[in-house]
Amino acid sequence: MQAEPKNPQAGNSLVGREYEVEIGPVAHGGHCIARTAEGQVLFVRHTLPGEKVIARVTEGEEGARFLRADAVTILDPSKDRVEAPCPYAGPGRCGGCDWQHAKPGAQRRLKGEVIAEQLKRLAGLTPEEAGWDGTVMPAEGDKLPPGEVPSWRTRVQYAVDADGNAGLRRHRSHEVEPIEHCMIAADGVSELGIEQRDWSGMESIEAIAATGSQDRQVILTPKPGARLPLVELDKPVSVMRVEEKDGGVHRVHGRPFVRERADGRTYRVGSGGFWQVHPKAAETLMLAVMQGLLPRKGDTALDLYCGVGLFAGALADRVGEQGAVLGIESGKRAVEDARHNLAAFDRVRIEQGKVESVLPRTGITEADLIVLDPPRAGAGKQTVRHLAGLGARRIAYVACDPAALARDLGYFREGGYRVRSLRAFDLFPMTSHVECVAILEPAGKGS
């Protein structure tokens, strides 16, 4: 277990203690908030707002700021509750899904409530002030009735237990839950048959099923000193190995990349390179960004944290030969892929390094448009301040974490930008994760 830092004033462990509690609002992180009779805060998983449950403590001690708990008995269920379709969901089981027990529409409402709470608390914005109607939109094809689960996850990281069985990690734990099938895994992952074979000697297996092609890939991480097995899966697949010495990913056989498609273009994505996990995510987010930015011929644009060049390619198409696009990405392999993917555009340049280091060195003092898709921690105050000083007509911020988004929106406001619109997409069904696209413009600009 990953325990909270120990409080020197804390008392005895409360793990295993049970409390009968009324469940309050949803919180960021896939749980809801409750309080014990003594007033101690409980973060409770496997429950829904308004329920009465028996909550069993999984982490925490007397005097801790909060406790973590699982709802082990539902005394008064919510109307939004359903029987979890997945046999591995529930207290002490697989930690991959947070909301298997909630109707699909309720999952999206919960995510919307989290976004609204983070915007208010960290950015001081109401949904109206953020230009958001409060809805979280399902991806195309994902609007299914209760009890049905979309098979959307095109990249699955399997852990291996001591007996060589492939499984998934339990919540906040290194323990492995062996599984026979992951319901949210895309068909292209499931058809490989990872769960049906012996993976003794392996630490983990990542399975990738491209949606832009028939490319399939597995990335094996052996335990120290272990030999690589002969990989015979149910479908043709390329095999990569994570080296013990340097952590690098090396080709065993097959292509060292998969091919994805978005906006009518094929993108090469090398091992370890970032591509959206949901089959519809790349196209959905690309369209939301372009509809928000409305690029013009001749514009200069920045694509920050650009990965293999998804947004840079879309921008390059739209700004034309008189425009220019600069992408910045820290991953060496992703930069190689981005340069390959966008080689047809003379006016696209990709620089390698951290945005906060590379951007000041470029000497760029102005840009018409900016796209940023930072990692979960967000861009941060320093980078946002720099971007706000470039005078962009519009900025598109793509965010996978509502808290980081809200913090950075607050920094943009300090830099003279306001949120023109915000859209939220449920690109991680059954989990607490959500993707947002915020469009910003100078505060003085009229609606």
Side-chain angles (χ1 to χ4, degrees):
M1 284 282 185
Q2 301 171 359
E4 296 298 318
K6 192 166 179 67
N7 179 348
Q9 307 300 318
N12 298 322
S13 171
L14 293 176
V15 173
R17 177 81 61 87
E18 293 186 354
Y19 297 93
E20 182 178 317
V21 291
E22 301 271 357
I23 300 298
V26 65
H28 184 32
H31 47 249
C32 297
I33 297 174
R35 287 184 182 272
T36 67
E38 298 77 28
Q40 198 164 18
V41 173
L42 284 174
F43 289 157
V44 189
R45 282 173 58 82
H46 311 294
T47 189
L48 294 168
E51 293 186 326
K52 182 185 288 186
V53 307
I54 302 294
R56 181 182 298 152
V57 176
T58 56
E59 290 181 43
E61 53 215 355
E62 293 174 352
R65 195 161 52 90
F66 60 85
L67 307 174
R68 295 185 184 275
D70 286 339
V72 293
T73 304
I74 310 302
L75 302 173
D76 186 8
S78 164
K79 62 179 176 57
D80 290 325
R81 177 173 284 276
V82 294
E83 180 104 19
C86 177
Y88 308 107
R93 305 297 300 276
C94 174
C97 291
D98 306 294
W99 300 122
Q100 285 270 352
H101 58 285
K103 293 177 181 176
Q107 293 182 35
R108 293 190 287 273
R109 286 199 305 276
L110 291 169
K111 296 182 190 196
E113 288 171 18
V114 169
I115 295 169
E117 191 269 338
Q118 297 295 309
L119 286 173
K120 188 64 178 174
R121 186 168 65 85
L122 297 174
L125 292 171
T126 64
E128 292 75 22
E129 289 168 334
W132 177 44
D133 64 5
T135 62
V136 176
M137 297 298 296
E140 180 187 340
D142 277 358
K143 204 164 184 180
L144 299 173
E148 292 189 31
V149 176
S151 303
W152 59 269
R153 193 168 188 91
T154 61
R155 292 165 181 249
V156 177
Q157 181 86 33
Y158 295 92
V160 180
D161 69 10
D163 297 321
N165 299 309
L168 301 171
R169 299 282 185 194
R170 292 172 182 155
H171 181 62
R172 292 176 61 81
S173 171
H174 293 295
E175 294 181 9
V176 179
E177 178 78 22
I179 64 170
E180 293 182 4
H181 172 63
C182 175
M183 294 186 77
I184 66 171
D187 292 344
V189 169
S190 296
E191 69 186 9
L192 294 177
I194 299 286
E195 302 96 333
Q196 274 69 59
R197 65 158 294 156
D198 183 359
W199 294 100
S200 295
M202 296 299 101
E203 193 77 49
S204 66
I205 309 110
E206 182 177 8
I208 300 169
T211 52
S213 65
Q214 291 299 307
D215 294 347
R216 305 288 182 262
Q217 185 178 84
V218 296
I219 303 173
L220 304 178
T221 303
K223 292 176 179 175
R227 297 181 62 183
L228 210 64
L230 180 64
V231 178
E232 293 180 347
L233 295 172
D234 296 342
K235 294 286 181 178
V237 64
S238 64
V239 178
M240 308 293 289
R241 173 193 175 114
V242 178
E243 291 295 340
E244 185 180 338
K245 291 181 181 178
D246 60 4
V249 182
H250 300 278
R251 185 175 73 91
V252 177
H253 68 75
R255 286 193 187 95
F257 58 84
V258 296
R259 294 163 297 177
E260 300 282 4
R261 279 190 70 77
D263 199 29
R265 177 172 293 101
T266 297
Y267 288 84
R268 185 181 84 181
V269 184
S271 303
F274 176 77
W275 189 261
Q276 289 287 342
V277 177
H278 193 292
K280 303 289 184 181
E283 193 80 17
T284 297
L285 296 173
M286 182 278 302
L287 285 172
V289 167
M290 295 304 123
Q291 288 165 359
L293 290 181
L294 297 175
R296 303 169 185 166
K297 297 294 184 185
D299 276 343
T300 58
L302 301 178
D303 180 10
L304 309 179
Y305 317 92
C306 71
V308 300
L310 170 66
F311 298 121
L315 285 165
D317 261 343
R318 290 158 176 80
V319 302
E321 295 180 1
Q322 301 307 308
V325 180
L326 170 67
I328 301 177
E329 166 59 38
S330 61
K332 182 180 179 182
R333 181 58 198 263
V335 167
E336 292 173 359
D337 286 338
R339 288 171 177 165
H340 169 86
N341 294 333
L342 305 176
F345 296 105
D346 294 335
R347 302 274 288 165
V348 173
R349 190 167 101 245
I350 307 294
E351 297 286 346
Q352 185 192 344
K354 293 186 175 180
V355 169
E356 61 268 27
S357 302
V358 173
L359 189 56
R361 293 204 305 264
T362 63
I364 291 172
T365 57
E366 58 183 9
D368 296 307
L369 303 172
I370 299 171
V371 182
L372 64 158
D373 185 3
R376 191 167 298 281
K381 192 169 189 175
Q382 176 189 342
T383 297
V384 169
R385 183 180 292 160
H386 189 137
L387 297 178
L390 298 178
R393 181 174 77 246
R394 286 195 179 174
I395 298 173
Y397 189 127
V398 183
C400 61
D401 184 271
L405 171 66
R407 278 194 299 270
D408 284 347
L409 291 183
Y411 300 145
F412 271 114
R413 183 173 57 194
E414 293 171 8
Y417 277 77
R418 72 177 187 97
V419 187
R420 177 185 176 89
S421 67
L422 187 146
R423 297 170 71 185
F425 302 96
D426 188 16
L427 301 177
F428 306 89
M430 301 290 158
T431 79
S432 62
H433 301 294
V434 63
E435 202 85 23
C436 296
V437 176
I439 305 297
L440 299 99
E441 65 183 9
K445 191 171 180 180
S447 301

PDB file of all heavy atoms in Angstrom, residues 399-413:
ATOM      1  N   ALA A 399      -6.734  19.217 -21.232  1.00  0.00           N
ATOM      2  CA  ALA A 399      -6.401  18.804 -19.868  1.00  0.00           C
ATOM      3  C   ALA A 399      -7.015  17.461 -19.522  1.00  0.00           C
ATOM      4  O   ALA A 399      -8.193  17.224 -19.777  1.00  0.00           O
ATOM      5  CB  ALA A 399      -6.878  19.851 -18.861  1.00  0.00           C
ATOM      6  N   CYS A 400      -6.212  16.590 -18.903  1.00  0.00           N
ATOM      7  CA  CYS A 400      -6.721  15.311 -18.424  1.00  0.00           C
ATOM      8  C   CYS A 400      -6.934  15.340 -16.916  1.00  0.00           C
ATOM      9  O   CYS A 400      -7.328  14.322 -16.339  1.00  0.00           O
ATOM     10  CB  CYS A 400      -5.767  14.179 -18.789  1.00  0.00           C
ATOM     11  SG  CYS A 400      -4.117  14.362 -18.078  1.00  0.00           S
ATOM     12  N   ASP A 401      -6.675  16.478 -16.280  1.00  0.00           N
ATOM     13  CA  ASP A 401      -6.871  16.584 -14.833  1.00  0.00           C
ATOM     14  C   ASP A 401      -7.565  17.902 -14.514  1.00  0.00           C
ATOM     15  O   ASP A 401      -6.998  18.972 -14.761  1.00  0.00           O
ATOM     16  CB  ASP A 401      -5.530  16.514 -14.100  1.00  0.00           C
ATOM     17  CG  ASP A 401      -5.710  16.519 -12.603  1.00  0.00           C
ATOM     18  OD1 ASP A 401      -5.738  17.617 -12.013  1.00  0.00           O
ATOM     19  OD2 ASP A 401      -5.847  15.435 -12.000  1.00  0.00           O
ATOM     20  N   PRO A 402      -8.793  17.865 -13.976  1.00  0.00           N
ATOM     21  CA  PRO A 402      -9.537  19.108 -13.718  1.00  0.00           C
ATOM     22  C   PRO A 402      -8.854  20.035 -12.722  1.00  0.00           C
ATOM     23  O   PRO A 402      -8.965  21.253 -12.837  1.00  0.00           O
ATOM     24  CB  PRO A 402     -10.885  18.619 -13.169  1.00  0.00           C
ATOM     25  CG  PRO A 402     -11.002  17.210 -13.606  1.00  0.00           C
ATOM     26  CD  PRO A 402      -9.609  16.675 -13.664  1.00  0.00           C
ATOM     27  N   ALA A 403      -8.142  19.473 -11.747  1.00  0.00           N
ATOM     28  CA  ALA A 403      -7.472  20.313 -10.747  1.00  0.00           C
ATOM     29  C   ALA A 403      -6.330  21.107 -11.386  1.00  0.00           C
ATOM     30  O   ALA A 403      -6.204  22.320 -11.174  1.00  0.00           O
ATOM     31  CB  ALA A 403      -6.945  19.459  -9.596  1.00  0.00           C
ATOM     32  N   ALA A 404      -5.494  20.433 -12.178  1.00  0.00           N
ATOM     33  CA  ALA A 404      -4.394  21.129 -12.859  1.00  0.00           C
ATOM     34  C   ALA A 404      -4.933  22.168 -13.833  1.00  0.00           C
ATOM     35  O   ALA A 404      -4.403  23.280 -13.936  1.00  0.00           O
ATOM     36  CB  ALA A 404      -3.509  20.117 -13.584  1.00  0.00           C
ATOM     37  N   LEU A 405      -6.004  21.820 -14.547  1.00  0.00           N
ATOM     38  CA  LEU A 405      -6.630  22.776 -15.467  1.00  0.00           C
ATOM     39  C   LEU A 405      -7.080  24.014 -14.718  1.00  0.00           C
ATOM     40  O   LEU A 405      -6.787  25.150 -15.131  1.00  0.00           O
ATOM     41  CB  LEU A 405      -7.819  22.119 -16.160  1.00  0.00           C
ATOM     42  CG  LEU A 405      -8.715  23.054 -16.987  1.00  0.00           C
ATOM     43  CD1 LEU A 405      -7.954  23.616 -18.179  1.00  0.00           C
ATOM     44  CD2 LEU A 405      -9.985  22.344 -17.435  1.00  0.00           C
ATOM     45  N   ALA A 406      -7.796  23.829 -13.619  1.00  0.00           N
ATOM     46  CA  ALA A 406      -8.325  24.975 -12.873  1.00  0.00           C
ATOM     47  C   ALA A 406      -7.201  25.849 -12.337  1.00  0.00           C
ATOM     48  O   ALA A 406      -7.274  27.085 -12.408  1.00  0.00           O
ATOM     49  CB  ALA A 406      -9.212  24.473 -11.736  1.00  0.00           C
ATOM     50  N   ARG A 407      -6.151  25.236 -11.801  1.00  0.00           N
ATOM     51  CA  ARG A 407      -5.015  26.027 -11.309  1.00  0.00           C
ATOM     52  C   ARG A 407      -4.418  26.878 -12.415  1.00  0.00           C
ATOM     53  O   ARG A 407      -4.166  28.075 -12.248  1.00  0.00           O
ATOM     54  CB  ARG A 407      -3.937  25.105 -10.722  1.00  0.00           C
ATOM     55  CG  ARG A 407      -4.183  24.665  -9.306  1.00  0.00           C
ATOM     56  CD  ARG A 407      -2.945  24.048  -8.687  1.00  0.00           C
ATOM     57  NE  ARG A 407      -2.504  22.860  -9.406  1.00  0.00           N
ATOM     58  CZ  ARG A 407      -2.912  21.626  -9.143  1.00  0.00           C
ATOM     59  NH1 ARG A 407      -3.791  21.427  -8.167  1.00  0.00           N
ATOM     60  NH2 ARG A 407      -2.461  20.598  -9.829  1.00  0.00           N
ATOM     61  N   ASP A 408      -4.197  26.242 -13.587  1.00  0.00           N
ATOM     62  CA  ASP A 408      -3.578  26.980 -14.687  1.00  0.00           C
ATOM     63  C   ASP A 408      -4.508  28.046 -15.265  1.00  0.00           C
ATOM     64  O   ASP A 408      -4.051  29.108 -15.704  1.00  0.00           O
ATOM     65  CB  ASP A 408      -3.122  26.007 -15.779  1.00  0.00           C
ATOM     66  CG  ASP A 408      -1.850  25.257 -15.396  1.00  0.00           C
ATOM     67  OD1 ASP A 408      -1.196  25.658 -14.415  1.00  0.00           O
ATOM     68  OD2 ASP A 408      -1.513  24.266 -16.066  1.00  0.00           O
ATOM     69  N   LEU A 409      -5.816  27.796 -15.265  1.00  0.00           N
ATOM     70  CA  LEU A 409      -6.752  28.830 -15.715  1.00  0.00           C
ATOM     71  C   LEU A 409      -6.682  30.051 -14.806  1.00  0.00           C
ATOM     72  O   LEU A 409      -6.801  31.195 -15.263  1.00  0.00           O
ATOM     73  CB  LEU A 409      -8.182  28.285 -15.758  1.00  0.00           C
ATOM     74  CG  LEU A 409      -8.482  27.232 -16.824  1.00  0.00           C
ATOM     75  CD1 LEU A 409      -9.956  26.836 -16.788  1.00  0.00           C
ATOM     76  CD2 LEU A 409      -8.096  27.721 -18.216  1.00  0.00           C
ATOM     77  N   GLY A 410      -6.483  29.812 -13.510  1.00  0.00           N
ATOM     78  CA  GLY A 410      -6.295  30.924 -12.584  1.00  0.00           C
ATOM     79  C   GLY A 410      -5.053  31.734 -12.928  1.00  0.00           C
ATOM     80  O   GLY A 410      -5.066  32.969 -12.886  1.00  0.00           O
ATOM     81  N   TYR A 411      -3.964  31.039 -13.281  1.00  0.00           N
ATOM     82  CA  TYR A 411      -2.736  31.740 -13.679  1.00  0.00           C
ATOM     83  C   TYR A 411      -2.940  32.518 -14.977  1.00  0.00           C
ATOM     84  O   TYR A 411      -2.424  33.637 -15.138  1.00  0.00           O
ATOM     85  CB  TYR A 411      -1.581  30.748 -13.857  1.00  0.00           C
ATOM     86  CG  TYR A 411      -1.236  29.957 -12.624  1.00  0.00           C
ATOM     87  CD1 TYR A 411      -0.800  28.635 -12.723  1.00  0.00           C
ATOM     88  CD2 TYR A 411      -1.329  30.516 -11.345  1.00  0.00           C
ATOM     89  CE1 TYR A 411      -0.469  27.890 -11.595  1.00  0.00           C
ATOM     90  CE2 TYR A 411      -1.000  29.773 -10.205  1.00  0.00           C
ATOM     91  CZ  TYR A 411      -0.577  28.464 -10.350  1.00  0.00           C
ATOM     92  OH  TYR A 411      -0.245  27.724  -9.236  1.00  0.00           O
ATOM     93  N   PHE A 412      -3.682  31.927 -15.925  1.00  0.00           N
ATOM     94  CA  PHE A 412      -3.956  32.644 -17.181  1.00  0.00           C
ATOM     95  C   PHE A 412      -4.765  33.914 -16.902  1.00  0.00           C
ATOM     96  O   PHE A 412      -4.546  34.951 -17.545  1.00  0.00           O
ATOM     97  CB  PHE A 412      -4.709  31.744 -18.161  1.00  0.00           C
ATOM     98  CG  PHE A 412      -3.819  30.934 -19.055  1.00  0.00           C
ATOM     99  CD1 PHE A 412      -3.768  29.546 -18.956  1.00  0.00           C
ATOM    100  CD2 PHE A 412      -3.021  31.562 -20.016  1.00  0.00           C
ATOM    101  CE1 PHE A 412      -2.949  28.802 -19.786  1.00  0.00           C
ATOM    102  CE2 PHE A 412      -2.200  30.823 -20.853  1.00  0.00           C
ATOM    103  CZ  PHE A 412      -2.158  29.439 -20.734  1.00  0.00           C
ATOM    104  N   ARG A 413      -5.705  33.845 -15.979  1.00  0.00           N
ATOM    105  CA  ARG A 413      -6.489  35.042 -15.652  1.00  0.00           C
ATOM    106  C   ARG A 413      -5.573  36.142 -15.113  1.00  0.00           C
ATOM    107  O   ARG A 413      -5.719  37.306 -15.481  1.00  0.00           O
ATOM    108  CB  ARG A 413      -7.574  34.703 -14.633  1.00  0.00           C
ATOM    109  CG  ARG A 413      -8.488  35.904 -14.312  1.00  0.00           C
ATOM    110  CD  ARG A 413      -9.655  35.502 -13.446  1.00  0.00           C
ATOM    111  NE  ARG A 413      -9.194  34.886 -12.216  1.00  0.00           N
ATOM    112  CZ  ARG A 413      -9.979  34.194 -11.398  1.00  0.00           C
ATOM    113  NH1 ARG A 413     -11.243  33.998 -11.692  1.00  0.00           N
ATOM    114  NH2 ARG A 413      -9.488  33.679 -10.300  1.00  0.00           N
TER     115      ARG A 413
END
